[in-house]
Amino acid sequence: MKWREPITLTVKILSPVSIGTGEKCNTLGFVIDGRKVLVVDERKLFSALSGSQRQMFLQWLEPLAGNLAHIRQQIQRARGNQKLRQQLQQQRREAENQLSLERFLRGTLRMPQPANWLRAQKVTRYEIVAVRAPDRYEGFAFCLKTPDHRPYIPGSEIKGAIRTAVLTRMLNNNPNLLQQLAQGLNPNMTKRQLGDWWQSTEWALLRRNPNDRDAHNDLFRGIAISDSEPMPTTVLRIYPAKRLNMSRDVTVFVEAIAPNNETTVTISVAHPDRWLAAIGLADKAGWLDWEKLAQAIYEHSNAILDFIAQKFPQVRQKAQWLKNQNRPDAPLLHIGWGQGFLSVTMTEPLRRHHPDAYETLRQAMAQVIGQYGRTRPNNFPKTVWAALDANGQPADLFGWVQLKRQ
């Protein structure tokens, strides 16, 4: 396989971007100082404490952690008693509120300014500005960073989002296949049947046939994208976030790259020579071209932003602004945490052209995939994640970046 000259793309952050790690920093891992959140290095902190202070910390922590573990066990045992579970959940929240590093430093060690002491002892990993400081034990979700705490965007994240855009464009251009997909759905599909439906559709579009399990025979083998250049830690912010149109008003906190920052990636595209013919994809050679990929990204983002603007008036202005930035030569891409169902799947053409089949898909997913169990007919997706301002009002969407060839 021979590769064309790599293309450098500028990645401009247009809305908060969080590539999650699955890890969180709870209230034992940070201290708040005004709008700043100081993330603590636990080993350095323990070393900075005197012997007696370490003993005091353990004596303070063990009963609180033990009580919390006991309450959580009781919640598990009370599955069938909703009233008791509600009482226990309240006890859990009260117990969690006691588990705070700042509370220990102020209350037990009598430090009037814990943040200043942490800085003086050089036991912080980094400091980060918060739109609103986390106020729950769960703290905030980390985003992906280098070992020296600089955020970056992995190439796999960008490649996966481009792949979804290409699949969507292929379906839009293949009404016969889209019709077959619609006819192949039924509301009583098992989880395995649903998985096979997704997978065979993807393989039918990007491999030689819908049963080809060999990743070496995939069109995207001819596309390579680097990780982005790391950005300075100062671009990070902590955002409060919530799902719009939900009956329960639950706020979570996420660490994300703030808008108006930039980084770069390189994309390498293979020459469509013998390797493509050898895997039976010579007819898809046109896709090994940045301009065609960019067009697919542009169209997919327009469709997603139109849907958001129509369905969620709370963030309509932001969605319309983002759509105005979207251009075929500098398309917007949706990545990271909080994207939503339509962004991460190739179902937008199904929703638009075969709404009855789309509803059948929702019914099937609702029966076998827990997170979709409470969805409702003709109202899916019902929610979208929004970043909140300091007053708790929806102010932004998550995960939108612009790609521009240098």
Side-chain angles (χ1 to χ4, degrees):
M1 185 185 295
K2 295 181 180 179
W3 295 85
R4 293 189 174 102
E5 195 70 25
I7 298 169
T8 300
L9 299 176
T10 297
V11 182
K12 184 176 181 180
I13 312 299
L14 297 185
S15 73
V17 172
S18 180
I19 312 298
T21 66
E23 298 181 346
K24 291 185 177 182
C25 183
N26 64 32
T27 48
L28 291 173
F30 65 86
V31 165
I32 297 169
D33 183 24
R35 288 191 61 204
K36 288 280 190 76
V37 173
L38 284 66
V39 181
V40 172
D41 184 314
E42 292 85 355
R43 286 187 296 178
K44 289 182 179 180
L45 171 65
F46 215 60
S47 296
L49 297 173
S50 67
S52 60
Q53 287 175 330
R54 292 176 204 163
Q55 189 63 32
M56 291 170 70
F57 179 75
L58 294 175
Q59 290 174 346
W60 169 82
L61 179 63
E62 287 175 358
L64 293 175
N67 181 46
L68 180 59
H70 176 66
I71 294 171
R72 286 174 173 167
Q73 287 179 349
Q74 288 182 304
I75 292 172
Q76 289 294 321
R77 293 170 185 160
R79 288 180 180 176
N81 189 331
Q82 188 62 26
K83 184 176 180 179
L84 177 58
R85 279 180 66 86
Q86 290 176 348
Q87 294 173 347
L88 290 169
Q89 293 287 10
Q90 179 61 35
Q91 292 179 28
R92 175 186 60 80
R93 288 188 287 270
E94 292 172 358
E96 288 174 345
N97 288 338
Q98 302 297 315
L99 281 167
S100 160
L101 177 60
E102 184 166 357
R103 183 184 289 267
F104 167 74
L105 295 175
R106 286 185 183 277
T108 304
L109 297 190
R110 307 294 182 185
M111 290 184 184
Q113 298 293 334
N116 291 343
W117 181 83
L118 293 172
R119 292 186 180 108
Q121 297 298 318
K122 298 181 179 179
V123 298
T124 60
R125 297 179 187 271
Y126 58 95
E127 299 186 22
I128 180 173
V129 173
V131 173
R132 195 177 98 207
D135 55 6
R136 300 171 60 189
Y137 169 73
E138 291 86 356
F140 62 92
F142 281 121
C143 79
L144 186 65
K145 298 183 289 295
T146 62
D148 58 347
H149 316 303
R150 294 186 297 161
Y152 69 97
I153 302 170
S156 58
E157 182 72 25
I158 294 174
K159 185 173 179 178
I162 293 176
R163 184 184 181 94
T164 300
V166 169
L167 286 164
T168 302
R169 171 75 180 275
M170 286 178 167
L171 277 178
N172 274 320
N173 291 347
N174 194 336
N176 290 334
L177 178 58
L178 191 58
Q179 178 72 32
Q180 291 175 24
L181 289 176
Q183 293 173 346
L185 288 165
N186 76 75
N188 298 314
M189 296 171 77
T190 65
K191 191 171 185 178
R192 181 173 181 176
Q193 287 173 329
L194 269 174
D196 291 343
W197 180 85
W198 289 112
Q199 197 70 81
S200 62
T201 304
E202 185 173 335
W203 290 346
L205 293 166
L206 296 180
R207 298 183 185 176
R208 71 176 80 198
N209 63 64
N211 300 311
D212 192 340
R213 296 179 175 273
D214 189 348
H216 287 90
N217 297 335
D218 196 285
L219 176 66
F220 268 70
R221 178 185 163 202
I223 299 170
I225 302 177
S226 71
D227 292 345
S228 80
E229 288 296 314
M231 290 167 271
T233 309
T234 52
V235 308
L236 289 171
R237 298 288 184 273
I238 294 176
Y239 292 90
K242 73 173 183 180
R243 287 184 183 272
L244 301 182
N245 296 352
M246 293 290 286
S247 56
R248 293 181 62 211
D249 191 9
V250 178
T251 299
V252 300
F253 294 84
V254 294
E255 182 181 64
I257 304 166
N260 300 316
N261 290 289
E262 292 184 355
T263 184
T264 59
V265 298
T266 58
I267 177 170
S268 299
V269 180
H271 283 287
D273 50 21
R274 289 177 297 177
W275 74 273
L276 200 60
I279 63 174
L281 297 178
D283 60 325
K284 293 183 170 62
W287 283 105
L288 296 177
D289 175 81
W290 166 245
E291 290 186 2
K292 188 165 184 178
L293 295 173
Q295 181 69 28
I297 300 166
Y298 164 77
E299 292 176 6
H300 185 51
S301 293
N302 268 351
I304 299 303
L305 290 167
D306 279 342
F307 172 80
I308 293 172
Q310 179 182 3
K311 189 172 179 66
F312 303 102
Q314 308 96 314
V315 288
R316 179 174 296 147
Q317 186 174 357
K318 179 66 178 188
Q320 291 172 337
W321 179 85
L322 286 166
K323 186 180 178 183
N324 288 337
Q325 313 310 306
N326 194 25
R327 309 197 313 264
D329 65 328
L332 267 59
L333 191 69
H334 206 189
I335 60 173
W337 183 86
Q339 289 181 62
F341 181 77
L342 290 178
S343 286
V344 298
T345 66
M346 52 187 167
T347 54
E348 201 282 327
L350 193 69
R351 182 191 71 85
R352 189 149 36 95
H353 299 296
H354 297 277
D356 290 344
Y358 184 74
E359 169 58 20
T360 300
L361 173 62
R362 184 205 64 80
Q363 292 173 14
M365 292 191 302
Q367 292 191 64
V368 297
I369 304 176
Q371 71 187 88
Y372 301 123
R374 295 187 177 182
T375 57
R376 293 290 180 264
N378 304 313
N379 189 23
F380 178 72
K382 175 186 176 182
T383 68
V384 67
W385 280 104
L388 310 179
D389 62 20
N391 297 317
Q393 297 303 307
D396 213 337
L397 296 163
F398 280 96
W400 289 98
V401 302
Q402 187 171 42
L403 306 179
K404 188 173 183 179
R405 184 171 183 171
Q406 291 189 355

